[in-house]
Amino acid sequence: MEGGFGSDFGSSGGGKLDPGLIMEQVKVQIAVANAQELLQRMTDKCFRKCIGKPGGSLDNSEQKCIAMCMDRYMDAWNTVSRAYNSRLQRERANM
Amino acid sequence: MRTHARKKAGSSRWTMAELGEADEAELQRLVAAEQQKAQFTAQVHHFMELCWDKCVEKPGNRLDSRTENCLSSCVDRFIDTTLAITSRFAQIVQKGGQ
C-alpha cells in the first residue's frame, strides 16, 4: 500500500494535507480492525460448533465442518446486515 | 509554515499542523460518516453473537430459509426488546421518583 502506516502521508512535499488520502488510510485501518474482529468471533463460534471432545489433532470431519462453518458464518453475517439495514430504514421512514 | 502530519515515534496519534478550514470541515464530515459505518458494523457483530447460537445448528452447505428467517427475526426481536426495556425502564424510574 502506498504510503504505509508510519510514513508521512496525505501531503505532497510541504503541501496541504489531503482529507481524501487521509481517509483512505483511515478506511484501511478500520477494515483491518473489522477483519480481526470477524475472525476472532468466527473462530469462537466455529470451534464451539465443530469441535466436540478435543482430540490429538483436527480430524477430517472437523476440518470440513470448520470450512463450512466459516462460509455459513459469512452468509449469516450478510443476512443479519441486510435485516439490520432494513430495520433502520423502516424506523427512519416512520420518524 | 509546516504542513505535514507526523506520527510520533512509538505512539499511534497523529499531530496535525495546518489544515485549511474547508479541509478540516470535510475531514470531520468524512470521519463522522466512517464512525457511523463502524457503529453499524459493531452492531452487526453483536447481533451475530446472539443470533448465530439461536438460529444456526450444524453448519451445512448453505443457510436454509428457516435459518435465514430466524436470523432476520432475531435482529428485529432484539431491537423490539431494546425498545420495550427502554420504555418500561423509563416508567419504573418515573414511578420510583414519586
Side-chain angles (χ1 to χ4, degrees):
Chain A
M1 180 106 197
E2 239 178 282
F5 291 108
S7 61
D8 187 39
F9 72 87
S11 69
S12 41
K16 239 166 27 105
L17 292 166
D18 184 341
L21 285 175
I22 293 172
M23 288 312 295
E24 283 316 302
Q25 296 283 356
V26 167
K27 285 180 193 177
V28 165
Q29 292 187 355
I30 290 175
V32 167
N34 185 42
Q36 283 178 333
E37 184 84 25
L38 185 74
L39 283 177
Q40 190 177 63
R41 289 168 183 263
M42 181 194 283
T43 302
D44 220 80
K45 294 301 187 192
C46 292
F47 180 80
R48 283 180 216 244
K49 288 276 186 226
C50 294
I51 279 78
K53 202 85 179 187
S57 67
L58 295 177
D59 65 35
N60 268 333
S61 68
E62 284 169 333
Q63 291 190 29
K64 261 192 216 157
C65 180
I66 289 167
M68 280 199 293
C69 181
M70 288 178 67
D71 290 341
R72 299 300 73 76
Y73 192 86
M74 288 189 276
D75 289 342
W77 170 271
N78 289 331
T79 301
V80 166
S81 198
R82 276 195 303 268
Y84 185 41
N85 198 34
S86 298
R87 179 61 184 260
L88 285 175
Q89 289 184 328
R90 249 176 293 147
E91 295 294 329
R92 279 187 202 128
N94 289 337
M95 283 202 286
Chain B
M1 210 184 284
R2 259 178 289 128
T3 54
H4 288 82
R6 287 244 171 264
K7 193 172 192 277
K8 285 185 180 164
S11 91
S12 57
R13 290 220 262 118
W14 298 89
T15 55
M16 298 293 192
E18 275 297 307
L19 259 180
E21 231 179 72
D23 277 352
E24 182 169 331
E26 170 79 347
L27 197 60
Q28 275 180 340
R29 206 179 50 80
L30 292 169
V31 165
E34 285 305 314
Q35 273 179 325
Q36 207 175 39
K37 281 190 225 165
Q39 242 178 354
F40 180 90
T41 304
Q43 196 64 255
V44 176
H45 278 304
H46 188 204
F47 289 137
M48 283 297 289
E49 198 59 42
L50 299 165
C51 300
W52 172 269
D53 293 338
K54 283 197 184 293
C55 296
V56 179
E57 292 160 29
K58 208 78 182 175
N61 285 314
R62 40 173 279 280
L63 293 180
D64 61 29
S65 55
R66 197 180 67 178
T67 309
E68 299 245 340
N69 288 335
C70 180
L71 289 165
S72 294
S73 298
C74 181
V75 172
D76 274 319
R77 300 297 77 75
F78 182 85
I79 293 172
D80 291 342
T81 305
T82 305
L83 295 171
I85 288 182
T86 304
S87 95
R88 182 147 196 279
F89 187 71
Q91 289 176 343
I92 291 170
V93 165
Q94 195 183 46
K95 282 197 192 136
Q98 286 176 341

